[in-house]
Amino acid sequence: MGAVFVPQLPPERLRSVAQAADQAGLDELWLWEDCFLESGITAAVAALAWTERLTVGVGLLPVPLRNVAITAMELATLHRLFPGRARVGVGHGVQDWMGQVGARVESPMALLREHLTALRALLSGERVTTQGRYVRLDGVALDWPPAHRPELLAGATGDRTLRLTGEVADGTILTGGTTVEQVRRARGLIDEGRAKAGRTEYHQVVVYLHAATGPDAAARLEAERVRWGYDTMAGHGVAGGAEAVAEAVRTWAEAGVDTVVLQPTPDDPDPEGFVAFVAQEVTPLVRN
């Protein structure tokens, strides 16, 4: 179970939300690197430093913005500073945003494959030489690789990307609004990629789930429906108390999700209260 610190909140709010999550016993607090809001790695390091036991996720880092050596250096440092407490995903990014900064590539799929392949090798402590379409390294190795290679997560929505994550990633992050039926279909496509690569280890699936609680929960979730362009919020999120939210979480979990990360509305009146609600009221109901 997790919750999102949405980047529509100012960065200076992160400390109180992270500490509230830590004190409440939340499993995971997730951060986004949406353009042009907040940095994923900087925010993750701060949240980890301010807390004692909380796992912090980043979903996700757009690979067109980063040389893979920089990604590897950042992740290696993060995992050495806070072993076992970070989960970081990468993805090909929103193409309109990538175009805005001059980083849009002709083949986002080729870039993501090359980036993930090189990143896995670098974080495994290997010396890497490759001359790909986008990723080019000449005898690059990390001086301070992590003690154990961390899981590599990748974000995906389309069919080809889902197959790719099954082939080259250890887990897949699915966006908020992913329905139960879409989760089941995604699992099938991921498994096709795993079979192609001969991978037999378990593949983690993380999904964001729109959620709102409190007296105005239904109205705030309706605003999210309009914002995201859903015809209906049914199947895309949940509004209500702990019982209703826990039931929704169980439904998505039964469809094949390992980590459900509740995504509050950007105008949630009490972000600290929301993470405590997830940890102390929803999570016990899900696990009983």
Side-chain angles (χ1 to χ4, degrees):
M1 288 293 302
V4 181
F5 175 86
V6 292
Q8 287 79 15
L9 294 171
E12 57 269 25
R13 191 72 182 270
L14 176 59
R15 183 171 190 161
S16 64
V17 175
Q19 290 179 337
D22 199 38
Q23 292 163 10
L26 184 70
D27 295 335
E28 301 180 0
L29 183 68
W30 281 73
L31 311 171
W32 295 347
E33 190 170 81
D34 281 2
C35 297
F36 300 95
L37 293 163
E38 292 163 6
S39 161
I41 293 296
T42 304
V45 170
L48 288 163
W50 287 326
T51 57
E52 298 294 331
R53 44 147 299 278
L54 183 68
T55 292
V56 175
V58 181
L60 46 77
L61 304 177
V63 299
L65 299 181
R66 287 177 177 79
N67 183 288
V68 70
I70 292 295
T71 308
M73 290 162 62
E74 288 184 325
L75 296 193
T77 303
L78 183 69
H79 286 287
R80 288 186 72 108
L81 288 172
F82 307 101
R85 291 184 56 205
R87 305 185 72 188
V88 180
V90 300
H92 48 53
V94 176
Q95 296 310 295
D96 287 346
W97 290 342
M98 299 303 100
Q100 280 184 270
V101 298
R104 189 167 187 164
V105 298
E106 185 177 356
S107 177
M109 288 284 293
L111 171 57
L112 184 57
R113 176 185 294 277
E114 291 179 8
H115 195 103
L116 277 166
T117 301
L119 185 59
R120 173 185 295 273
L122 289 167
L123 291 175
S124 298
E126 299 177 20
R127 184 171 299 277
V128 181
T129 296
T130 182
Q131 292 294 317
R133 183 173 178 180
Y134 299 108
V135 174
R136 298 170 187 174
L137 301 173
D138 182 8
V140 176
L142 298 175
D143 286 334
W144 296 104
H148 305 284
R149 183 186 66 78
E151 66 172 347
L152 292 180
L153 303 175
T157 53
D159 291 4
R160 292 175 61 212
T161 313
L162 286 163
R163 291 189 185 97
L164 176 64
T165 65
E167 191 177 344
V168 298
D170 302 316
T172 300
I173 302 171
L174 303 176
T175 187
T178 301
T179 66
V180 166
E181 293 74 20
Q182 288 170 328
V183 168
R184 294 191 181 106
R185 187 169 186 278
R187 270 286 185 193
L189 293 165
I190 290 165
D191 285 344
E192 289 179 19
R194 293 174 66 234
K196 178 181 177 181
R199 301 189 67 171
T200 58
E201 68 275 29
Y202 188 74
H203 189 98
Q204 294 280 326
V205 171
V206 178
V207 70
Y208 300 120
L209 176 62
H210 295 287
T213 192
D216 60 347
R220 287 189 287 110
L221 208 63
E222 170 61 15
E224 284 293 88
R225 181 197 68 76
V226 174
R227 177 187 173 208
W228 292 97
Y230 306 135
D231 292 332
T232 175
M233 209 59 187
H236 295 287
V238 57
E243 290 281 1
V245 176
E247 180 59 31
V249 169
R250 285 191 290 266
T251 300
W252 265 262
E254 289 165 3
V257 172
D258 301 286
T259 303
V260 177
V261 185
L262 296 177
Q263 177 180 327
T265 61
D267 59 349
D268 189 288
D270 183 10
E272 292 84 359
F274 183 83
V275 296
F277 165 76
V278 176
Q280 298 178 340
E281 298 185 46
V282 177
T283 300
L285 293 175
V286 171
R287 291 178 176 162
N288 286 343

